[in-house]
Amino acid sequence: MFVPTRPAMVNLLIVESPGKIKTLKKILGAGWEILPSVGHICQLAQDGPEKLGFDMTGSTITCRYVPNGSRGKRIITTLKAATQKAERIYLAPDPDREGEAIAWHLARELKLTPERALRVTYTQITDQAVRAALAHPRRIDQALVEAQRARQVLDRLVGWRTSPLAWRVGGKSAGRVQSAALHLVCQREQAIQVFVPQDYWSVWVDYGPPEQQFRAYYRGSVAGQEVEEEQTADDDAQESQKIPESTRVLSQAEADRLVTVAQAEAHRVLEVRRQTTRKSPPPPFTTSSLQQAASAQLRLNPERTMQIAQKLYEGVDVGDGPTGLITYMRTDSITLAPEFVAAARAYLTEHDPQNLPTQTTRHRSKEHSQEAHEAIRPTHIDLVPQAIRSSLDNEQYRLYDLIWRRALASQCAPARLDKTRILTQSGPVFWEARGMTVAFAGYTRYWPNLEEVLVLPGVQERQPLILERAGHDQKQTQPPPRYTEAKLVQTLERLGIGRPSTFAPTVATLKERGYVELTGKALTATPLGLQVDQVLEQTLPELIQADFTAAMETALDEIAAAQRSWEHWLIDWNQSYLVPALLKANRNPSLLVANRLPGKQKNLGHARERCPTCQQPLTKVPSKKVRKGYFLKCVHCPQVVLFWSDFKKVWQTPSTEQAAPATATPPKTQPPATRKATPAPPPPSPEQNVPVAGPHLSAHPCPVCKELKLEVYSYRKGGQLKSMLRCSDARARTREDHCGVAYFPSRGVWWSKEFGELV
């Protein structure tokens, strides 16, 4: 008698990114199925009042979550089927609040009990770290989930209710963190615009003969006067050293007089001061300091830096299979794991014993840092950048080299510097020269961040000096510099605006919205950005202030530590501040109309349709992204926005089935999702995809159809010949579930945003 055997059960590991799967399969081997969630599988719905997707009733917030579009539905179906065959289910999204929320959504959608939803976290994808995490699973941390839900609801609430204020002057959106960041850029731009330069003179003298030549700068007419050196923390965004100058002289007549005195009077050495100082090594990288250093040294913007770091974290094939090269790259901690510290000291003992400090180097954590993970570091100090250079592309190599050198430097001995100060005198005038030499390089062998070396001659006190030249340079005071992307990230971190995971997206959003633009490496506020900032400053002044936004971040930290109720805090803030402020703004629309950018919006007049709330005529707002070329909105009721439906032939609000945007931006230009028919495409322009050859089948199956093959489709875009893989069924390509089936060549492989690398 045949008895069917039960299929062998496997362990299921669910991760965020498909890019991690190859590395994890190599670590875990047989008996494991590893599937990706591809980020969030759920999002807040777009239903209910103002399409917020949640209700605030009494002291409770009820959130309505829906699958994240067709991709989310497809992934949930796949994961549900996998859970039926799994003996144990491990949820391994990234180790942060957002990852904890993803794990919570996975458990919720897959209907896993708390005992079956095993949460594991690791900050490096190595054999030891992954196996240690799997050996000690835990339950989902509900406090972290609530903190992330609070952030999501807060950002939706602020973004969707305040964005209509930005619309009225031609803006696209407003937001809790992006508007505070924009205000910093606009404040700097306004300071530059009102700055009045002032002339001043730097006066100097050159001494000789050649073997004792050095330059000294005017330091006043009071004996013993000394200008202290400015002591600054290690600044990863700094790109140039300070140019030496004299005490500022504010008139040419005075500068000429000082030169005359220098030429007429004898010069002698008044004082020589020599001292040896120690310069401590910088701490290892956090998210912010990595973005700053990559910008200053590698010319990478924060967004690109994080993309490369993500790849290094997920794993790169360095000869014996994929290996995670760095630890998790979203962190504000400067702490290093004890095993790495021991490995770094062992490396120095073998390769650079003079640079090994007698005691382990420790760094002081910054105030308000969460310290949830360790700092960004290489997973193995023995993976020297030069040894694996052939396995990395140029950007990956340069960023990994930066991380490796910084981590090792943080554990080295301090540098020893010999500093010299020579004070000279000519009549009643005093002059000063400063020099510096390196007595012991220490950590600077790996992370050179010293000021320029300047060797001064060996002179003695009361020694007469020979004047060769005396002169002055006319200069002007300079306005405060515009923020670079790195400097803005540094400022956001210092002021407590946002968290490591939000720095790069915030800067990218400001550029995408057209609020700031890059002029060289500097961020310049555009006229639109200045107008949006002005409107928000007049209507919601607290919301764009750094201390107010930082206080909100502190409240979110307290929620994550289970010290505060997220619902009570959010409802109280909404009722006590946001609602009254918006009511005041909406009752005075003339305040906003007065600030409209001239020529920014074409006046299309009023439509015949009336607002369903206040019955006032709706205004036509131009938009190239919608069918009719404009949509309708009410200037009195900012939440009322209507789009034309080709299917129903009526003006209507956006469909609740439409996917929500990734950021908290109101759907003001999204076409309604009720459109069924696909309009005929217009004739292709030179910039559109123009096919150049008939498609042919590849050997790869479609990830949705399974049986049908992907076809290689060649086209010409922007004068260049390009190729992509797509489903070979023309009818299937028009269906919603196929919208993500598009693979493009990336570093020698076919890659899809939704399905990852094609194996």
Side-chain angles (χ1 to χ4, degrees):
M1 179 179 178
F2 173 74
V3 179
T5 59
R6 182 180 178 183
M9 303 292 282
V10 298
N11 292 319
L12 174 63
L13 179 67
I14 304 177
V15 297
E16 273 193 57
S17 171
K20 304 175 186 177
I21 293 178
K22 187 182 293 185
T23 306
L24 290 169
K25 281 185 175 179
K26 177 196 170 187
I27 293 173
L28 298 178
W32 286 85
E33 183 175 9
I34 306 172
L35 295 175
S37 71
V38 196
H40 288 276
I41 60 169
C42 292
Q43 61 185 0
L44 280 174
Q46 291 186 31
D47 60 9
E50 303 179 68
K51 310 295 181 185
L52 289 173
F54 57 85
D55 297 321
M56 292 183 173
T57 55
S59 59
T60 304
I61 300 177
T62 304
C63 298
R64 291 178 292 279
Y65 295 102
V66 296
N68 196 352
S70 60
R71 176 187 61 80
K73 294 178 183 177
R74 184 171 61 251
I75 291 173
I76 290 172
T77 301
T78 302
L79 294 178
K80 280 184 177 179
T83 59
Q84 303 302 318
K85 301 179 293 183
E87 181 177 3
R88 306 189 79 188
I89 301 167
Y90 296 89
L91 307 178
D94 290 342
D96 52 18
R97 295 177 190 173
E98 192 171 10
E100 204 72 18
I102 292 174
W104 180 74
H105 280 297
L106 286 168
R108 179 174 170 270
E109 292 297 323
L110 301 179
K111 295 180 171 53
L112 303 178
T113 62
E115 294 75 17
R116 201 157 184 242
L118 304 175
R119 176 74 166 117
V120 294
T121 58
Y122 41 81
T123 59
Q124 50 184 308
I125 306 181
T126 61
D127 189 294
Q128 181 181 1
V130 172
R131 292 190 180 279
L134 293 172
H136 300 91
R138 60 170 173 82
R139 292 194 176 187
I140 294 172
D141 190 327
Q142 201 60 35
L144 294 180
V145 174
E146 290 178 356
Q148 181 60 25
R149 294 180 71 194
R151 178 185 293 277
Q152 187 181 31
V153 171
L154 175 63
D155 288 345
R156 173 73 68 91
L157 187 67
V158 173
W160 288 34
R161 284 188 170 175
T162 61
S163 288
L165 303 178
W167 297 356
R168 298 183 181 185
V169 292
K172 296 182 179 179
S173 70
R176 182 178 62 90
V177 176
Q178 69 161 279
S179 295
L182 174 63
H183 187 59
L184 292 174
V185 179
C186 291
Q187 278 185 315
R188 182 62 55 88
E189 195 67 31
Q190 292 163 359
I192 293 172
Q193 291 174 359
V194 301
F195 179 81
V196 178
Q198 181 182 10
D199 291 333
Y200 71 94
W201 285 258
S202 177
V203 187
W204 46 266
V205 291
D206 284 342
Y207 296 117
E211 61 271 13
Q212 287 192 327
Q213 195 170 43
F214 68 97
R215 172 169 289 190
Y217 293 89
Y218 168 64
R219 280 294 176 255
S221 301
V222 179
Q225 179 177 344
E226 180 177 352
V227 178
E228 293 294 335
E229 291 185 89
E230 185 179 359
Q231 299 294 325
T232 58
D234 184 70
D235 187 352
D236 296 295
Q238 186 174 351
E239 299 179 35
S240 61
Q241 301 294 338
K242 186 177 179 181
I243 299 174
E245 289 184 351
S246 77
T247 299
R248 290 182 176 179
V249 177
L250 301 182
S251 70
Q252 183 169 354
E254 176 63 10
D256 290 338
R257 186 189 72 81
L258 291 171
V259 170
T260 301
V261 170
Q263 293 171 338
E265 299 286 348
H267 291 252
R268 66 184 181 92
V269 177
L270 186 65
E271 180 184 72
V272 178
R273 181 180 300 175
R274 295 183 176 90
Q275 61 176 349
T276 299
T277 62
R278 290 158 51 97
K279 187 173 178 65
S280 299
F285 280 136
T286 63
T287 300
S288 170
S289 59
L290 174 63
Q291 292 174 5
Q292 295 166 43
S295 175
Q297 299 187 36
L298 308 182
R299 301 297 185 261
L300 295 174
N301 64 41
E303 189 175 17
R304 182 59 184 153
T305 298
M306 298 309 290
Q307 291 172 353
I308 301 169
Q310 178 78 31
K311 184 62 178 176
L312 294 175
Y313 167 68
E314 291 176 355
V316 176
D317 193 339
V318 293
D320 55 348
T323 301
L325 294 182
I326 65 170
T327 53
Y328 193 56
M329 62 283 161
R330 294 185 181 93
T331 177
D332 59 4
S333 172
I334 57 174
T335 304
L336 291 171
E339 57 267 24
F340 177 81
V341 173
R345 292 180 64 84
Y347 180 91
L348 291 172
T349 301
E350 181 179 355
H351 297 92
D352 191 6
Q354 291 184 339
N355 221 337
L356 180 68
T358 54
Q359 294 183 339
T360 301
T361 305
R362 302 189 182 278
H363 302 276
R364 181 178 299 177
S365 299
K366 294 182 179 180
E367 188 178 4
H368 304 308
S369 60
Q370 296 179 30
E371 300 287 326
H373 320 300
E374 63 176 311
I376 304 172
R377 61 164 176 86
T379 54
H380 301 288
I381 195 66
D382 292 330
L383 286 176
V384 180
Q386 293 79 2
I388 60 173
R389 183 166 192 168
S390 60
S391 302
L392 308 175
D393 64 31
N394 187 51
E395 287 184 327
Q396 291 171 351
Y397 168 75
R398 295 168 69 205
L399 189 65
Y400 178 70
D401 177 66
L402 208 66
I403 295 170
W404 188 91
R405 289 190 291 109
R406 178 67 169 248
L408 184 60
S410 72
Q411 298 305 303
C412 288
R416 291 199 304 274
L417 311 176
D418 288 338
K419 294 188 175 183
T420 304
R421 173 180 177 263
I422 301 175
L423 185 66
T424 70
Q425 182 179 10
S426 59
V429 180
F430 299 91
W431 313 85
E432 182 191 63
R434 290 179 182 267
M436 190 272 290
T437 58
V438 179
F440 174 66
Y443 76 89
T444 63
R445 286 193 57 186
Y446 307 98
W447 192 260
N449 63 345
L450 299 177
E451 59 269 27
E452 184 179 356
V453 172
L454 177 62
V455 180
L456 292 178
V459 296
Q460 304 298 322
E461 292 183 2
R462 294 185 294 277
Q463 174 183 331
L465 297 171
I466 300 174
L467 178 69
E468 288 192 339
R469 285 192 308 162
H472 54 67
D473 300 319
Q474 184 176 356
K475 300 187 177 183
Q476 275 192 337
T477 54
Q478 298 297 312
R482 290 185 173 91
Y483 289 104
T484 62
E485 291 180 276
K487 203 68 176 178
L488 181 58
V489 166
Q490 183 188 51
T491 305
L492 292 175
E493 181 188 42
R494 178 172 55 83
L495 297 177
I497 301 174
R499 282 296 179 256
S501 60
T502 66
F503 294 147
T506 297
V507 177
T509 298
L510 294 180
K511 294 190 293 184
E512 179 187 343
R513 299 286 187 263
Y515 295 162
V516 302
E517 60 186 11
L518 278 174
T519 306
K521 292 192 300 180
L523 289 171
T524 305
T526 64
L528 175 60
L530 291 167
Q531 287 290 323
V532 170
D533 180 66
Q534 183 181 0
V535 166
L536 294 176
E537 190 170 19
Q538 291 174 334
T539 55
L540 300 169
E542 289 186 17
L543 192 63
I544 60 176
Q545 296 301 321
D547 54 352
F548 184 76
T549 307
M552 300 178 83
E553 292 290 349
T554 301
L556 292 172
D557 292 343
E558 293 173 353
I559 293 170
Q563 298 172 355
R564 185 190 288 259
S565 166
W566 75 280
E567 294 171 301
H568 181 271
W569 169 73
L570 198 52
I571 291 172
D572 181 66
W573 178 81
N574 179 59
Q575 293 177 345
S576 63
Y577 173 72
L578 187 60
V579 171
L582 290 173
L583 284 174
K584 182 179 179 181
N586 291 323
R587 286 172 181 169
N588 188 14
S590 60
L591 176 69
L592 303 176
V593 173
N595 290 293
R596 187 183 301 277
L597 267 177
K600 198 67 184 178
Q601 287 187 350
K602 183 180 178 182
N603 184 9
L604 299 182
H606 293 294
R608 287 181 295 179
E609 286 74 13
R610 292 182 175 271
C611 174
T613 302
C614 67
Q615 300 303 313
Q616 296 297 316
L618 294 171
T619 302
K620 297 179 180 179
V621 179
S623 174
K624 297 179 181 180
K625 298 182 180 181
V626 295
R627 181 68 173 167
K628 279 184 171 287
Y630 63 89
F631 61 93
L632 305 181
K633 72 174 184 180
C634 180
V635 296
H636 304 287
C637 306
Q639 72 275 13
V640 176
V641 182
L642 302 181
F643 297 94
W644 177 255
S645 170
D646 271 353
F647 179 67
K648 294 184 178 180
K649 304 299 181 185
V650 295
W651 289 94
Q652 62 179 31
T653 57
S655 169
T656 58
E657 297 178 0
Q658 186 177 353
T663 57
T665 305
K668 67 166 190 165
T669 60
Q670 296 177 353
T674 56
R675 185 176 301 155
K676 301 295 183 181
T678 303
S685 69
E687 294 302 318
Q688 291 176 320
N689 296 352
V690 182
V692 296
H696 58 279
L697 293 179
S698 72
H700 303 286
C702 172
V704 177
C705 298
K706 305 297 184 184
E707 297 180 358
L708 293 174
K709 299 292 186 181
L710 294 172
E711 66 179 19
V712 181
Y713 175 72
S714 300
Y715 58 93
R716 191 174 297 278
K717 182 178 181 182
Q720 295 182 346
L721 183 63
K722 299 190 176 185
S723 297
M724 64 179 287
L725 293 183
R726 65 183 186 182
C727 182
S728 56
D729 187 343
R731 288 188 176 183
R733 293 199 299 267
T734 65
R735 298 202 306 263
E736 185 182 7
D737 61 347
H738 276 64
C739 63
V741 183
Y743 290 85
F744 297 92
S746 175
R747 297 185 177 89
V749 298
W750 292 102
W751 184 87
S752 166
K753 184 177 181 181
E754 289 199 11
F755 298 99
E757 184 177 323
L758 188 60
V759 181

